[in-house]
Amino acid sequence: MDVVNSILENSTQEKDTRKSTEVNKDVEIETDLGTLLALDYNTVDPKALKSQTEQYLKNLTRDNVQVVINKIWELPIERVDEVIVAKLPKQKFVLPRARQIPKPKPLTKWQQFAKEKGIKTKRKGKSKLKWDEELQKWIPTFGYKRNKAIEQKEWLVEVNNEGKAMEDPFAAAKTAKEERKSKNELQRLRNIAKAKNIKIPKVGLPTREHFPDSQQLSQAMTIARTSTASLGKFQDRLPKEKDAKGIAKQVPGMKRKAEEIPKNLQEEKKRNTNLVDSILKSNTKILREDFSVPKTTPAKVNKDKKKGKKGAKAKGVKKPKAGKGQRNMKHKVGGRKRR
């Protein structure tokens, strides 16, 4: 009988593990099948959560997922390639985004010009390979292994001009390629600066786009004139040309406008505190009496003094030296005056 009872107990335990698809809740679960979302507003049992945390959360999750699956089976269903597919409705609940919506990429200078003129660029084909008659093989039109194919193809260069016979054509081609790369990089940076409304630094060859204002043009002229070794001292000026304002800190050697005298005591105190703060914040070393300036001790004075007719004389005082036999009447020679 004990064996029969144990078998019956095991069978009942197995039946208990298989839960029903029907889920009973005190408060009905709100579902949004468009986003496969279930919102459970029922109260949580704190005792069961503390005593059996993992088991309680697993059971709660299982019941909520079962509710969503039951709702999905109520939707219209199709069979596509031996797979059952359900058509989900439109979402009701709007999920918040973790990041901002990406802004459309701004057009480059060429893309904007092509759009205004109606120029349509040819789309590249799917294949990156191109048949070469010289090498008799497929070579990539761009990207990986392109340079090796060009080196195999252009291993010999014909020089027609006699003046260029001494030049290295391979080195010239390499420098031309580097110039093209640097030009493309500069153009790419200019497109980024134009898209973000950033002022381009005052370097390189200026164009009309860089100086929409006359003040910027005058600043560029002043900086270019003072960039010589003499700081523009010997450079010729245009008629009625004046130095640009507000760039004295950027140009070394340029005269700065003198500061106005403080009007009251508070303004003077504020200016002095700002000066001290700027000195303390800087990395420059400040001379101090403890380690930078050597200390000097005053000479000791003896109390026993011999007084003469002309007063007391301290010990250790040297007499002035005479001309040492080389007397010059034009120059005065130090010495004791005789009467």
Side-chain angles (χ1 to χ4, degrees), residues 304-331:
D304 301 333
K305 295 181 180 179
K306 294 180 180 180
K307 294 184 179 180
K309 293 181 180 180
K310 295 183 180 180
K313 291 184 180 180
K315 289 184 179 181
V317 179
K318 293 182 180 181
K319 295 180 180 180
K321 293 181 180 180
K324 296 182 181 181
Q326 297 178 358
R327 189 171 183 182
N328 192 353
M329 298 303 293
K330 294 180 181 180
H331 302 285

Side-chain angles (χ1 to χ4, degrees), residues 79 86-87 91 134 198 207 224 248 264 306 330:
R79 186 177 290 275
K87 290 184 178 180
Q91 62 180 13
E134 278 188 49
I198 299 172
T207 59
N264 50 25
K306 294 180 180 180
K330 294 180 181 180

Side-chain angles (χ1 to χ4, degrees), residues 112-285:
Q112 190 174 0
F113 175 77
K115 187 178 179 181
E116 291 175 357
K117 299 295 181 180
I119 301 170
K120 294 182 180 180
T121 56
K122 295 180 181 179
R123 292 185 179 180
K124 295 179 180 179
K126 294 182 179 179
S127 178
K128 296 181 180 180
L129 300 176
K130 182 182 178 182
W131 178 257
D132 195 348
E133 293 294 339
E134 278 188 49
L135 300 175
Q136 291 295 315
K137 64 177 183 180
W138 294 93
I139 62 172
T141 54
F142 59 91
Y144 183 59
K145 294 183 179 180
R146 170 69 177 172
N147 292 335
K148 290 184 178 180
I150 292 173
E151 288 176 2
Q152 292 176 5
K153 188 178 178 180
E154 297 179 356
W155 62 275
L156 182 64
V157 180
E158 184 180 357
V159 179
N160 295 326
N161 194 355
E162 294 179 358
K164 295 183 179 180
M166 301 300 293
E167 295 180 1
D168 187 2
F170 297 103
K174 190 175 181 180
T175 53
K177 184 180 178 181
E178 293 294 331
E179 288 177 0
R180 287 196 301 271
K181 285 171 65 176
S182 59
K183 183 180 177 182
N184 292 334
E185 182 65 18
L186 179 62
Q187 191 62 37
R188 185 183 71 84
L189 295 175
R190 282 180 178 174
N191 289 331
I192 293 171
K194 186 180 179 183
K196 295 185 178 181
N197 295 325
I198 299 172
K199 290 184 179 180
I200 300 171
K202 301 163 186 177
V203 293
L205 296 174
T207 59
R208 191 179 295 175
E209 295 177 357
H210 298 162
F211 305 112
D213 190 8
S214 60
Q215 180 67 19
Q216 295 181 7
L217 183 61
S218 63
Q219 289 179 5
M221 290 174 63
T222 306
I223 292 170
R225 184 169 47 78
T226 56
S227 60
T228 58
S230 61
L231 300 176
K233 185 176 180 181
F234 304 104
Q235 296 295 324
D236 297 332
R237 294 197 180 199
L238 296 172
K240 298 182 181 180
E241 182 184 353
K242 296 181 180 179
D243 293 334
K245 297 179 181 179
I247 58 169
K249 294 182 180 179
Q250 300 177 12
V251 181
M254 193 172 178
K255 292 182 180 181
R256 301 183 184 180
K257 190 178 179 181
E259 294 184 358
E260 296 180 357
I261 301 170
K263 297 178 182 179
N264 50 25
L265 187 62
Q266 294 179 355
E267 189 176 348
E268 184 179 1
K269 186 178 179 181
K270 186 178 180 181
R271 187 181 296 182
N272 293 334
T273 51
N274 293 336
L275 178 63
V276 172
D277 291 339
S278 63
I279 292 170
L280 294 176
K281 287 179 182 178
S282 63
N283 296 326
T284 55
K285 293 182 180 179

